[in-house]
């Protein structure tokens, strides 16, 4: 896996992108005399450690500047980190480190939060494979790379606990994070509109890519069951060989074909009655029996496939599968084979803000009041301030 960041770390680019007060601090230190400093870097919420992009960038900058940064990774990649607990420390020349804080924090906080989300999602549905579909929601390639990396880290951590995790993603450029050569995916809604029917889109795909497994998107015309079964009947050999899947991406403004509130409850009564007999929030009820890709919708699709003699056709579910929705699906034992999602991207961006504080100058512990907890090591706690 290549952890090289996409932004070149030349000094001119760093100067232009960093906060001005860090540039001025560097100039002052260069004028009045350098010193060795140690930064402690942390987040204010629990995360999963995903430091590789930030560390790789720092190492590249150090090499270009002809200096060395001693980076002590306090929590290995993929391990849980508590709120306020430093992920790593960075020791080096103050003049060479002062202007880097803005940029390495950008590369650290978002992946750590996204990795935590991905880890939780995989553990909620340990028997389900995940496909990262975050690219369209990212603000440029650097974010896309961070989010794919984060999903791979969270997935690897979940796999250690028995989950299937993420099997790949949707873009070639970031597929390497999942050990793949290219992205996965078959057809968007646009192709079905172009083809004029779901069946014709499947035929086009099969003719163009005959060696590929076929995953057909079924909600374009609101006939998820009818169109899904039509494709299965068109390609019974693929269906019997387990090389076909139907993807449910039903819009949140309508029910899956054949469902309404009463029938949605009836479906879950047949398969997971306990899931709807406990108190539920409005959001949880929507995930269970509401519009869109609900647990009832997934169970109904499984019923239809099995009744028609296609038990090996898999179900791919997408549309808003965040941690909460995955938890509800697990409770309803929804028969999902693959989840396609980009919802590990942090919902509340302010939670991704990482912070770096200097905790020692030339080996002398010193930190601003209120951050003394950063000096805690080996069960002891040091006091900050002059002469500490």
């Amino acid at each position: 896996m290549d952890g090289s960041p996409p932004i070149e770390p030349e000094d001119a680019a760093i100067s232009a992108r960093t906060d001005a007060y860090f540039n001025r601090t560097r100039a002052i230190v260069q004028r009045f005399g350098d010193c060795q400093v140690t930064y402690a870097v942390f987040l204010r919420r629990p995360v999963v450690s995903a430091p590789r992009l930030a560390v790789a960038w720092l190492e590249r900058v150090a090499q270009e500047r002809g200096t060395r940064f001693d980076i002590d990774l306090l929590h290995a990649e993929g391990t849980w980190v508590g709120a306020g607990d430093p992920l790593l420390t960075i020791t080096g020349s103050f003049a060479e480190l002062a202007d880097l804080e803005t940029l390495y924090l950008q590369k650290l906080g978002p992946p750590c939060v996204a990795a935590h989300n991905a880890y939780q999602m995989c553990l909620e549905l340990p028997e389900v494979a995940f496909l990262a579909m975050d690219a369209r929601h990212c603000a440029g390639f650097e974010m896309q790379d961070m989010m794919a990396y984060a999903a791979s880290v969270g997935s690897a951590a979940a796999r250690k606990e028995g989950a299937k995790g993420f099997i790949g993603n949707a873009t070639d450029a970031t597929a390497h994070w999942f050990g793949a050569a290219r992205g996965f995916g078959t057809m968007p809604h646009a192709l079905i509109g172009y083809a004029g029917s779901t069946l014709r889109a499947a035929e086009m795909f099969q003719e163009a890519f005959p060696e590929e497994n076929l995953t057909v998107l079924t909600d374009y015309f609101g006939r998820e069951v009818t169109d899904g079964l039509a494709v299965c009947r068109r390609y019974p050999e693929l269906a019997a060989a387990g090389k076909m899947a139907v993807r449910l991406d039903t819009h949140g403004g309508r029910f899956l074909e054949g469902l309404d509130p009463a029938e949605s409850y009836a479906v879950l009564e047949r398969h997971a009655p306990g899931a709807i007999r406990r108190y539920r929030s409005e959001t949880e009820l929507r995930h269970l029996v509401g519009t869109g890709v609900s647990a009832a919708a997934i169970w109904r699709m499984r019923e239809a496939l099995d009744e028609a003699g296609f038990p090996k056709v898999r179900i791919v579910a997408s549309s808003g599968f965040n941690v909460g929705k995955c938890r509800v699906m697990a409770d309803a034992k929804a028969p999902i084979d693959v989840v396609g999602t980009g919802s590990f991207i942090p919902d509340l961006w302010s939670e991704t803000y990482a912070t770096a504080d200097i905790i020692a100058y030339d080996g002398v512990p010193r930190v601003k009041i209120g951050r003394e907890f950063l000096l805690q090591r080996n069960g002891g706690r040091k006091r900050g301030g002059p002469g500490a």
Side-chain angles (χ1 to χ4, degrees):
M1 296 181 184
D2 179 10
S4 299
I7 292 182
E8 292 299 319
E10 290 90 350
D11 275 0
I14 293 171
S15 178
R17 294 182 174 121
T18 197
D19 291 297
Y21 48 77
F22 288 136
N23 288 329
R24 290 171 177 169
T25 297
R26 187 185 192 205
I28 290 170
V29 172
Q30 288 172 329
R31 177 171 181 172
F32 288 94
D34 200 4
C35 68
Q36 288 286 108
V37 294
T38 297
Y39 285 84
V41 186
F42 67 98
L43 277 87
R44 294 174 177 83
R45 55 149 286 170
V47 296
V48 166
S49 176
R52 191 185 310 189
L53 297 178
V55 169
W57 185 80
L58 281 166
E59 290 174 344
R60 287 178 61 189
V61 174
Q63 183 177 12
E64 290 198 5
R65 290 185 171 183
T67 188
R68 173 184 172 82
F69 302 144
D70 292 320
I71 301 172
D72 184 7
L73 191 58
L74 304 178
H75 296 274
E77 183 179 76
T79 57
W80 184 85
V81 186
D85 192 3
L87 283 90
L88 53 88
T89 61
I90 310 165
T91 300
S93 157
F94 193 15
E96 302 296 351
L97 279 170
D99 60 335
L100 305 183
E101 182 176 330
T102 298
L103 299 181
Y104 68 71
L105 293 182
Q106 289 176 354
K107 303 172 194 301
L108 182 68
C112 289
V113 176
H116 191 269
N117 289 342
Y119 166 76
Q120 288 183 294
M121 290 160 61
C122 293
L123 286 187
E124 293 293 346
L125 292 169
E127 300 301 319
V128 174
F130 283 79
L131 183 66
M133 300 178 70
D134 52 291
R136 73 187 67 189
H137 306 304
C138 291
F141 177 71
E142 187 175 14
M143 181 180 175
Q144 181 182 344
D145 198 46
M146 286 193 295
M147 293 299 101
Y149 161 63
S152 74
V153 171
S155 173
R159 283 201 302 271
K160 291 179 180 178
E161 299 185 38
K164 286 186 178 179
F166 282 79
I167 58 171
N169 73 326
T171 63
D172 292 349
T174 53
H176 63 93
W177 289 119
F178 304 91
R182 58 187 177 86
F184 293 103
T186 54
M187 64 183 68
H189 293 98
L191 179 63
I192 299 169
Y194 165 77
S197 76
T198 303
L199 178 58
R200 182 57 187 146
E203 291 172 339
M204 289 177 173
F205 181 89
Q206 181 63 13
E207 182 177 338
F209 301 98
E211 302 304 317
E212 295 282 339
N213 291 347
L214 175 60
T215 298
V216 59
L217 188 59
T218 57
D219 66 287
Y220 190 96
F221 296 101
R223 299 192 300 263
E224 291 89 349
V225 174
T226 301
D227 287 353
L229 292 179
V231 177
C232 291
R233 294 184 179 111
R234 174 67 176 82
Y235 296 106
E237 297 86 359
L238 290 178
K243 294 183 177 181
M244 184 183 294
V246 294
R247 177 183 161 203
L248 300 182
D249 195 48
T250 303
H251 187 271
R254 51 171 288 267
F255 284 91
L256 180 123
E257 179 187 13
L259 293 185
D260 56 23
E263 184 56 32
S264 295
Y265 274 98
V267 170
L268 285 193
E269 279 288 349
R270 292 195 291 271
H271 297 284
I276 54 175
R277 292 178 183 171
R278 293 189 296 277
Y279 171 79
R280 293 292 185 180
S281 68
E282 183 177 342
T283 298
E284 289 172 329
L285 276 175
R286 186 172 68 252
H287 293 332
L288 285 171
V289 293
T291 55
V293 184
S294 65
I298 296 164
W299 271 116
R300 177 65 197 116
M301 192 72 230
R302 185 73 266 163
E303 282 182 342
L305 289 168
D306 292 349
E307 290 166 0
F310 301 112
K312 291 187 177 181
V313 172
R314 295 168 296 135
I315 294 177
V316 179
S318 55
S319 186
F321 274 77
N322 57 17
V323 175
K325 187 165 185 176
C326 288
R327 183 175 298 125
V328 171
M329 293 295 166
D331 207 23
K333 300 179 176 60
I336 306 169
D337 296 287
V338 180
V339 165
T341 182
S343 295
F344 49 86
I345 294 176
D347 287 328
L348 188 60
W349 202 250
S350 60
E351 290 188 344
T352 72
Y353 300 164
T355 300
D357 279 329
I358 295 177
I359 59 172
Y361 297 82
D362 283 331
V364 178
R366 188 181 307 139
V367 70
K368 78 174 187 178
I369 297 298
R371 295 280 168 79
E372 294 88 352
F373 63 88
L374 296 174
L375 299 173
Q376 184 176 5
R377 284 291 186 86
N378 300 323
R381 186 179 295 276
K382 299 177 182 178
R383 301 281 299 181

